[in-house]
Amino acid sequence: KVKKWFEKNKPSIVIIAAAKVGGILANNDFPADFLLQNLKIQTNLIETAYNFKVKRLLFLGSSCIYPTFSPQPIKEDYLLTGDLEKTNEWYAIAKIAGIKLCEALYEDHDLDIICLMPTNVYGKNDKFDKINGHVIPAMISKFEDAKKKGLRSVKLLGTGRPLREFIHSDDLAVAIFQSLKFKRLNLKKIFKNKLPILNIGTNEEISIKNLAKLIKEYTNYRGKVFFDRNSPDGTYRKVLNSRKIKELGWSPKISFKDGLKKVIDGRIN
């Protein structure tokens, strides 16, 4: 089906944003799905893009590809320098395999590829699901549900101590669009003929506990918030060093508080 689609549409540019994704519970509970489905999605698309000789391929990875105890902020060079976070290693391994496939095609066949590694993404069209959603949409769903049902408390996973960096999907979209315009000769000079891997982050961090406070405020929930300390926290901190893409001309425009409030207001109204 992928091959037939390429034959019919003849794309000159391919952006691979498709993936099997989910929050910490989904990653922990369905490791085979996260590994198998992501390997199949990206391998089919990357190989077919190569066979059809597309002009440029963008492959989106994730900040979870980096080791659990990476020095902070995390540079692109830290890939494969340590152990992965256990709660999402299956997704991370699939994404790393995709990066390595891109690297092989870039070096062996000179395919024009850029790999983008965004931090945690949020936005209005996210998957708002208490179990399978990422932390922001899952948390918003819990507060909305508690408010609707008149519940006196909301239980959240972990200790609330971990720090996270988030990027609005609109800022990520701009980064993707600008990446399509980067001149290949400049990229080859910057990366010394190695596969371009670019972190995309905001350098703006917030603890999960403070995130919960913000979402509670923006959803106008009046009950109490409890953290289930028996649940996993995931990586304690993973802020990205996004110096390279910023030097190429991109920078985030949406502050986290403004972006989060806009997402929640859009759902309430």
Side-chain angles (χ1 to χ4, degrees):
K1 286 183 178 179
V2 171
K3 184 180 178 182
K4 286 179 180 178
W5 187 93
F6 270 76
E7 287 172 346
K8 179 181 178 181
N9 294 280
K10 298 179 173 57
S12 58
I13 291 169
V14 172
I15 302 168
I16 302 178
K20 163 75 174 174
V21 298
I24 195 167
L25 278 182
N27 275 274
N28 223 20
D29 293 344
F30 306 104
D33 288 349
F34 276 85
L35 185 57
L36 276 172
Q37 291 188 33
N38 282 301
L39 286 173
K40 290 176 181 179
I41 289 167
Q42 64 200 29
T43 302
N44 280 335
L45 287 167
I46 293 169
E47 184 178 15
T48 309
Y50 161 66
N51 288 334
F52 279 79
K53 297 180 172 56
V54 299
K55 292 181 180 178
R56 173 157 288 177
L57 172 67
L58 296 187
F59 177 65
L60 272 68
S62 166
S63 59
C64 74
I65 64 166
Y66 295 112
T68 308
F69 300 109
S70 287
Q72 307 285 327
I74 303 170
K75 295 181 180 180
E76 292 90 346
D77 297 340
Y78 297 162
L79 180 62
L80 293 177
T81 59
D83 293 334
L84 298 167
E85 167 57 39
K86 290 296 181 183
T87 55
N88 64 8
E89 68 174 328
W90 309 106
Y91 177 76
I93 286 170
K95 284 296 182 182
I96 292 169
I99 294 166
K100 285 299 178 181
L101 176 55
C102 287
E103 184 178 45
L105 290 171
Y106 182 90
E107 293 182 356
D108 293 353
H109 302 283
D110 200 33
L111 185 62
D112 188 338
I113 307 175
I114 301 174
C115 291
L116 304 178
M117 300 301 124
T119 189
N120 301 277
V121 186
Y122 72 101
K124 65 178 182 179
N125 291 319
D126 212 330
K127 187 173 185 178
F128 290 87
D129 185 293
K130 291 186 290 184
I131 304 299
N132 297 314
H134 284 118
V135 60
I136 287 180
M139 204 180 281
I140 290 172
S141 297
K142 286 185 177 182
F143 279 101
E144 288 177 342
D145 187 56
K147 186 179 177 183
K148 182 179 178 181
K149 294 178 179 177
L151 302 180
R152 295 182 179 181
S153 65
V154 169
K155 185 171 71 173
L156 302 175
L157 302 180
T159 63
R161 290 197 300 264
L163 299 168
R164 288 294 179 266
E165 175 187 30
F166 296 98
I167 186 169
H168 195 283
S169 55
D170 288 355
D171 272 335
L172 175 57
V174 172
I176 292 169
F177 183 70
Q178 289 187 9
S179 296
L180 295 175
K181 297 182 176 182
F182 294 153
K183 295 188 181 298
R184 194 173 188 205
L185 188 61
N186 290 342
L187 291 172
K188 287 199 168 195
K189 287 180 180 178
I190 293 169
F191 290 92
K192 298 178 181 178
N193 287 322
K194 291 185 178 180
L195 174 71
I197 300 176
L198 294 167
N199 285 340
I200 306 175
T202 62
N203 205 36
E204 189 178 359
E205 290 180 284
I206 186 170
S207 71
I208 297 300
K209 185 177 181 179
N210 287 333
L211 172 63
K213 287 180 180 179
L214 276 181
I215 295 176
K216 178 183 176 182
E217 177 188 343
Y218 294 160
T219 56
N220 294 310
Y221 176 67
R222 303 301 181 189
K224 295 183 178 181
V225 178
F226 297 97
F227 282 91
D228 178 7
R229 294 175 177 269
N230 293 319
S231 299
D233 270 332
T235 304
Y236 178 73
R237 186 185 183 215
K238 51 175 184 174
V239 61
L240 295 179
N241 182 323
S242 304
R243 179 182 58 82
K244 288 181 179 178
I245 195 166
K246 289 178 179 177
E247 287 179 354
L248 287 164
W250 173 86
S251 62
K253 305 299 182 188
I254 303 170
S255 73
F256 180 63
K257 286 186 177 181
D258 288 346
L260 181 64
K261 192 171 190 309
K262 186 177 179 181
V263 168
I264 292 173
D265 286 349
R267 289 177 60 75
I268 294 172
N269 300 325

